[in-house]
């Protein structure tokens, strides 16, 4: 996939000051900046998008891609899932959003059928391995899945666009 493909990574709700309150003005603003960046990627020729479908950044990105696909059918959303149990501990509303996105995805890939301790890491590496660019909502902390994914993309010399979730700057 590589050339015209962009993957997403970013923090889960617990890492944001607003947690799960998507009506918070800071969350609304972040989602707008994320959608704007995705539209810019489409204008630059990206048509294939990979979402790991974690809560927050991944699902917001996927929804933006689906919105753009309505106007441009060349745009494709590929959901790269770590395991079947990904949503087991999520709220009902988060699971509903997840399944709504999967129902509209162009493809679904399970990196592992069953949960194991490295399945999230394997999913994140799959995303970077198959994309020319990585769009990250990243606060700069050194630990965690988003940090590891950004470092892996740097190691593979991928184009990386980082959105600071609080300053809303790239």
């Amino acid at each position: 996939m590589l050339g015209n493909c962009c993957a997403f990574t970013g923090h889960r709700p617990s890492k944001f000051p607003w947690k799960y309150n998507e009506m918070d003005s800071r969350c609304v603003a972040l989602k707008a900046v994320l959608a704007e960046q995705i539209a810019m990627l489409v204008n630059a020729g990206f048509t294939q998008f990979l979402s790991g479908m974690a809560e927050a950044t991944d699902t917001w990105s996927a929804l933006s891609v689906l919105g753009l696909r309505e106007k441009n059918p060349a745009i494709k959303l590929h959901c790269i899932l770590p395991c079947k149990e990904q949503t087991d501990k999520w709220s009902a509303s988060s699971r509903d959003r997840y399944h709504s996105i999967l129902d509209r995805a162009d493809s679904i890939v399970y990196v592992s059928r069953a949960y194991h301790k490295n399945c999230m890491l394997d999913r994140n590496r799959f995303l970077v391995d198959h994309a020319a660019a990585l769009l990250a909502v990243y606060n700069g902390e050194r630990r965690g899945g988003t940090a590891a994914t950004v470092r892996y993309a740097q190691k593979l010399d991928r184009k990386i666009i980082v959105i600071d979730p609080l300053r809303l700057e790239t």
Side-chain angles (χ1 to χ4, degrees):
M1 221 172 257
L2 288 179
N4 63 346
C5 184
C6 178
F8 305 116
T9 191
H11 301 298
R12 295 194 175 108
S14 62
K15 297 281 180 149
F16 298 121
W18 55 84
K19 307 294 184 208
Y20 286 86
N21 180 8
E22 291 187 32
M23 302 309 289
D24 184 289
S25 61
R26 297 167 293 181
C27 182
V28 171
L30 175 57
K31 288 196 274 186
V33 168
L34 190 57
E36 180 182 300
Q37 285 296 316
I38 295 168
M40 288 170 58
L41 286 162
V42 168
N43 289 338
F46 286 84
T47 58
Q48 308 296 312
F49 294 90
L50 306 179
S51 175
M53 292 299 292
E55 287 183 289
T57 302
D58 291 1
T59 54
W60 301 334
S61 299
L63 289 169
S64 290
V65 169
L66 291 171
L68 291 168
R69 188 182 70 185
E70 289 177 13
K71 299 175 202 114
N72 180 352
I75 296 170
K76 304 296 181 199
L77 174 66
H78 308 282
C79 295
I80 312 303
L81 310 178
C83 60
K84 290 269 192 185
E85 301 90 348
Q86 181 171 9
T87 63
D88 282 1
K89 295 179 181 173
W90 293 13
S91 69
S93 62
S94 291
R95 282 194 309 271
D96 289 346
R97 176 188 287 177
Y98 175 91
H99 289 292
S100 168
I101 294 168
L102 291 186
D103 288 345
R104 295 178 282 158
D106 293 286
S107 70
I108 299 170
V109 174
Y110 286 93
V111 176
S112 174
R113 290 289 172 183
Y115 176 83
H116 61 86
K117 72 177 183 131
N118 288 325
C119 69
M120 303 294 176
L121 175 64
D122 292 347
R123 182 262 326 265
N124 294 346
R125 287 192 171 175
F126 182 102
L127 292 168
V128 173
D129 286 343
H130 292 84
L134 179 70
L135 177 56
V137 173
Y138 177 47
N139 64 13
E141 67 184 24
R142 296 294 304 154
R143 297 184 54 132
T146 300
T149 304
V150 169
R151 282 194 302 274
Y152 186 64
Q154 289 168 334
K155 180 180 169 186
L156 296 187
D157 200 31
R158 299 297 193 247
K159 174 183 176 66
I160 303 169
I161 302 160
V162 175
I163 300 171
D164 181 293
L166 299 180
R167 292 195 318 260
L168 303 177
E169 297 171 351
T170 55

